[in-house]
Amino acid sequence: MSEGEPRYLKTGWNTVATRSSGRRALDAAKLGMLADRCSADIIHVVGTNALVFSPVCKLLGAHGVIVRQIFTPYDAKDRMVRPMRWVINSLFVDAYAFTTPWIGPWEKDLGPGMRRFLVRPPVDSELYRPSKREPDDTPAGSSHEYRLLYMGPLWPSRFPAQNVLGALRLLLAKGLDVGLNVLTSTRSSVLLGEHVLALSKHLGVDRNIVLERKDLSEIERVRAYNASDAVIFPYVGPEPEQLADPPFAILESMACGRIVISTRVLSVPEVVNDGSSGFLIGSASSSDICDGVNRALTHPDRDNMGFRARERVLKHFSYPAVRRGLLEAYESLLAS
């Protein structure tokens, strides 16, 4: 335990997992049945249906304090199960852990009596770090002065293709030689990929875009970040589809010392300090994306901005920082 960490909490970790059946409620019930066998003081529920897990776990005799982890913003499904959640929370759940101080509608939905903690998502800052650009990292067919990266799904709420490619067209009209590398998973829709390429040809920017459908390893993600001059996150708000908060890709980019350009969705303004550790744009319109990228690529303090971005991740999202915060939250919970 390093200096500054809670000194009175001696931790022992026990992970309970089960093989997926494809049915979340059934898997949660199976986990609840397994959890009663351990003598944990705190049961931190991550990645399973807490509304099923918690009553099964407690009714079978588990005595630990249950903490439910929330990664994504409040959505329509959360609203649908609100009455059931109130009952389950009042009987079986002891606290909620959020990855961001911006919790939106959860603030009123949990009620004044529910304990809540900030447990930020950890980033492996030893893996995600700046490195020299290698010749092999250049996307095939891309040889431009500036390299822009988008990594993620091609859903309209994450990548509004018309607006992004329109921004690329505006940048070229300003005389900036920009190449856009779009990396998306093989699970991403083939039709969406074809739409992006067809649209790029229609707008006359097809020579400035490379789209790859590929499932990247973490090492390949790091190389892709470091091969870019800036990384764009043109999310359509206020709450983009299935987006963790804060978005992991923003944290990874910043850990690699890249300049981030993002819309002001969710808790992104709490992570990215506009003009200091990245750039925030008012919307995902073509003009706003163009202005944000232009500022990023021509900023005289680009190198120091990347340094400040990494420092912010090290301070708040590195493994030691998150571990320290988690132990403090556990200690506070047990003390109460």
Side-chain angles (χ1 to χ4, degrees):
M1 184 174 292
S2 62
E3 185 178 354
E5 291 188 359
R7 297 181 179 277
Y8 304 106
L9 185 63
K10 296 181 178 180
T11 56
W13 304 93
N14 187 13
T15 301
V16 179
T18 185
R19 185 182 298 275
S20 174
S21 67
R23 298 181 179 180
R24 292 193 64 200
L26 177 59
D27 292 340
K30 289 164 63 178
L31 280 172
M33 296 171 67
L34 291 173
D36 79 298
R37 302 176 188 175
C38 68
S39 57
D41 295 305
I42 296 175
I43 302 172
H44 199 137
V45 184
V46 179
T48 192
N49 188 330
L51 299 185
V52 175
F53 171 89
S54 303
V56 170
C57 176
K58 283 297 185 75
L59 291 173
L60 288 177
H63 299 290
V65 173
I66 290 182
V67 179
R68 183 186 178 188
Q69 180 72 54
I70 301 293
F71 288 98
T72 54
Y74 196 93
D75 60 19
K77 291 181 180 179
D78 292 310
R79 284 189 290 271
M80 289 174 59
V81 299
R82 177 185 291 171
M84 180 186 297
R85 183 170 56 250
W86 282 343
V87 174
I88 300 299
N89 282 349
S90 64
L91 296 175
F92 305 108
V93 178
D94 300 280
Y96 272 64
F98 293 92
T99 53
T100 167
W102 185 90
I103 63 175
W106 285 107
E107 183 71 41
K108 293 182 179 179
D109 200 68
L110 294 182
M114 179 62 65
R115 297 290 302 275
R116 60 201 76 177
F117 300 101
L118 175 62
V119 179
R120 296 185 185 273
V123 175
D124 185 351
S125 53
E126 291 301 310
L127 174 61
Y128 289 90
R129 62 186 306 145
S131 64
K132 291 183 179 180
R133 183 179 294 174
E134 301 293 338
D136 292 343
D137 294 337
T138 304
S142 176
S143 55
H144 302 281
E145 182 180 0
Y146 299 109
R147 302 178 189 179
L148 202 59
L149 173 67
Y150 170 79
M151 188 187 300
L154 299 179
W155 306 329
S157 66
R158 302 278 198 95
F159 185 81
Q162 180 81 39
N163 296 359
V164 174
L165 298 182
L168 182 57
R169 188 179 186 182
L170 291 174
L171 288 165
L172 296 176
K174 289 178 178 290
L176 292 172
D177 181 20
V178 179
L180 172 62
N181 188 24
V182 177
L183 297 175
T184 190
S185 167
T186 56
R187 298 184 299 277
S188 186
S189 167
V190 173
L191 291 178
L192 285 176
E194 291 175 347
H195 169 68
V196 170
L197 294 177
L199 188 57
S200 70
K201 190 170 185 178
H202 174 72
L203 294 175
V205 297
D206 49 306
R207 294 186 178 183
N208 294 77
I209 180 172
V210 174
L211 188 151
E212 296 181 76
R213 297 178 68 250
K214 182 179 180 182
D215 294 322
L216 301 177
S217 67
E218 285 201 282
I219 294 295
E220 289 172 321
R221 290 175 69 87
V222 173
R223 292 179 65 180
Y225 289 132
N226 279 299
S228 66
D229 294 296
V231 190
I232 60 168
F233 299 91
Y235 301 140
V236 178
E239 296 177 1
E241 184 179 359
Q242 298 179 28
L243 182 63
D245 189 24
F248 295 144
I250 287 183
L251 301 178
E252 292 170 353
S253 301
M254 293 174 67
C256 290
R258 299 301 92 188
I259 298 179
V260 164
I261 303 111
S262 176
T263 46
R264 298 174 179 269
V265 299
L266 304 176
S267 67
V268 171
E270 192 261 337
V271 176
V272 179
N273 188 349
D274 186 33
S276 176
S277 59
F279 291 99
L280 298 175
I281 54 179
S283 74
S285 68
S286 293
S287 59
D288 281 356
I289 295 172
C290 173
D291 289 345
V293 172
N294 187 31
R295 289 170 64 201
L297 297 182
T298 60
H299 198 279
D301 198 30
R302 284 171 51 195
D303 290 341
N304 286 330
M305 183 172 289
F307 174 80
R308 289 191 293 269
R310 177 167 172 80
E311 285 298 300
R312 184 153 182 80
V313 170
L314 291 176
K315 182 177 180 180
H316 297 289
F317 300 95
S318 64
Y319 282 175
V322 173
R323 180 177 183 270
R324 187 162 51 248
L326 181 61
L327 291 179
E328 288 173 352
Y330 285 168
E331 190 172 61
S332 172
L333 187 60
L334 291 176
S336 65

